[in-house]
Amino acid sequence: FLMHVALCLDFFPEINDSESHPSSSHQTLKGTSKWAASLENLLEDPEGVKRFREFLKKEFSEENVLFWLACEEFKKTQGKKQMQEKAKDIYMTFLSSKASSQVNVEGQSRLDETILETPHPLMFQKLQDQIFNLMKYDSYSRFLKSDIFLNHKKSEEQEEGSPEAQTAAKRASRIYNT
């Protein structure tokens, strides 16, 4: 399975970008509160995606978020040749019956390989929506109860409770409340 994930990351290097940038403290200070508000918020935060992927790996369903991320990147792809290449990569990695990291979508929703010849930015939208809903109504709620999420939330709260954070907060309140 790990080999399949590595293949996904080779095909879609932009998926791995979020893991290579250390998150700044101001970005994650309110991270878990934002993540708990909605799956959309979670998926917009690189640190949230990293933690969610970590959780999904343990559930053996990381391919769902990898597929969703690949589709988001695909929508930004310019040029027919690049779109054809990425569409084929997505198809072979996630949708084909021989896919290395096959996602669980309804059978009738699977794409016919011939559609890859004439790609368009929203060609995977229906399948991406299915996977989003699967994550939203299944794994996301478990993620919010997981040790990965709760431990991250606890470390955030400890950071906020530190003397440096309190001093900064007091300075900020003096500045904005005068």
Side-chain angles (χ1 to χ4, degrees):
F1 177 76
L2 294 175
M3 187 174 92
H4 299 311
V5 172
L7 282 171
C8 292
L9 297 176
D10 288 342
F11 283 127
F12 311 105
E14 55 280 338
I15 290 173
N16 206 20
D17 282 350
S18 64
E19 292 194 22
S20 60
H21 305 299
S23 58
S24 58
S25 59
H26 77 277
Q27 184 182 22
T28 58
L29 208 57
K30 293 289 179 196
T32 53
S33 300
K34 243 174 95 173
W35 305 346
S38 73
L39 178 57
E40 290 86 348
N41 286 351
L42 173 72
L43 293 172
E44 286 172 4
D45 183 344
E47 183 67 20
V49 169
K50 180 180 174 182
R51 301 297 174 165
F52 192 47
R53 281 182 59 190
E54 194 179 318
F55 170 75
L56 291 176
K57 272 182 201 172
K58 291 182 175 188
E59 290 211 333
F60 304 101
S61 60
E62 185 188 21
E63 68 278 358
N64 291 335
V65 74
L66 292 175
F67 173 72
W68 189 88
L69 291 166
C71 290
E72 285 298 292
E73 281 302 315
F74 178 76
K75 292 175 192 174
K76 301 173 194 169
T77 304
Q78 301 291 313
K80 186 178 178 186
K81 181 121 178 82
Q82 289 88 342
M83 285 189 91
Q84 282 177 324
E85 288 171 12
K86 276 200 176 189
K88 186 175 183 191
D89 287 345
I90 289 172
Y91 180 81
M92 298 308 286
T93 305
F94 301 105
L95 301 169
S96 151
S97 59
K98 300 175 191 121
S100 56
S101 296
Q102 194 176 54
V103 290
N104 185 14
V105 290
E106 293 173 28
Q108 69 269 24
S109 297
R110 287 200 182 278
L111 297 176
D112 188 300
E113 210 167 333
T114 57
I115 196 171
L116 299 175
E117 297 307 311
T118 54
H120 58 87
L122 300 176
M123 67 188 279
F124 297 114
Q125 190 65 53
K126 186 176 177 184
L127 301 176
Q128 186 185 14
D129 290 345
Q130 275 188 41
I131 292 300
F132 179 85
N133 286 327
L134 180 71
M135 291 189 299
K136 184 175 184 172
Y137 298 110
D138 186 41
S139 44
Y140 173 64
S141 57
R142 285 194 306 280
F143 169 71
L144 295 178
K145 297 172 190 159
S146 72
D147 287 345
I148 291 171
F149 176 80
L150 296 173
N151 290 339
H152 191 72
K153 183 177 181 181
K154 189 187 228 178
S155 69
E156 268 183 5
E157 289 165 355
Q158 288 170 346
E159 271 182 39
E160 287 177 16
S162 71
E164 302 87 38
Q166 288 178 351
T167 306
K170 284 179 186 170
R171 274 198 311 269
S173 69
R174 274 200 312 269
I175 292 167
Y176 295 113
N177 291 334
T178 55

